[in-house]
Amino acid sequence: MPFGWSRITASDTTLSVSFQSTGAAFADSFAITKGDPPPPDQSPPTAPAGVSAHAVAARVEVTWSPATDDRGVVGYRVERDGVALATVVGTSYSDASVVPGSTYSYAVRALDAAGNASPDGATATITTPAASSVIYAEAWPGA
């Protein structure tokens, strides 16, 4: 029993397939057309909100609320005094490179997969506690 014929044609934008059984009992065809790629992402994410900084022992903990983006936020760039410190995925960063008794300003920028950066959110300014003096005393034998 003969099966019929089929035809496949292709161009830069379309793939067409046709089939017809012997005796024209069955025929079908379809085409797949390549669409235009989505336009490049030129929209930056929103700025992270609620940036805060808290001194904890010999470090500063910086936290913020998540930003939004039409195609998704992939990370956050944490800046201290205008200099990038790190890029993180979550909504917090621990800065262990602080000096006691110093004042720092932290800003956070959201990043999307296309490399767009949000404007700075609100900055958080903190002064780390001054170093404390530790006095070490050892008991003298017999004292």
Side-chain angles (χ1 to χ4, degrees), residues 136-141:
Y136 179 73
E138 185 174 317
W140 294 96

Side-chain angles (χ1 to χ4, degrees), residues 43-142:
S43 300
T46 61
V51 177
S52 64
H54 303 280
V56 179
R59 66 185 190 280
V60 172
E61 297 291 332
V62 184
T63 60
W64 57 90
S65 297
T68 60
D69 183 68
D70 60 338
R71 298 191 188 177
V73 173
V74 297
Y76 298 91
R77 184 172 59 227
V78 180
E79 301 171 355
R80 182 180 71 196
D81 298 329
V83 177
L85 287 178
T87 300
V88 299
V89 176
T91 56
S92 66
Y93 175 73
S94 182
D95 183 4
S97 65
V98 296
V99 175
S102 299
T103 300
Y104 300 102
S105 289
Y106 291 89
V108 179
R109 292 180 183 259
L111 306 171
D112 66 17
N116 298 313
S118 72
D120 284 343
T123 58
T125 301
I126 188 169
T127 301
T128 56
S132 58
S133 299
V134 176
I135 301 173
Y136 179 73
E138 185 174 317
W140 294 96

Side-chain angles (χ1 to χ4, degrees), residues 26-46:
F26 175 80
D28 199 4
S29 66
F30 64 91
I32 301 171
T33 303
K34 175 181 156 185
D36 292 329
D41 182 3
Q42 297 178 344
S43 300
T46 61

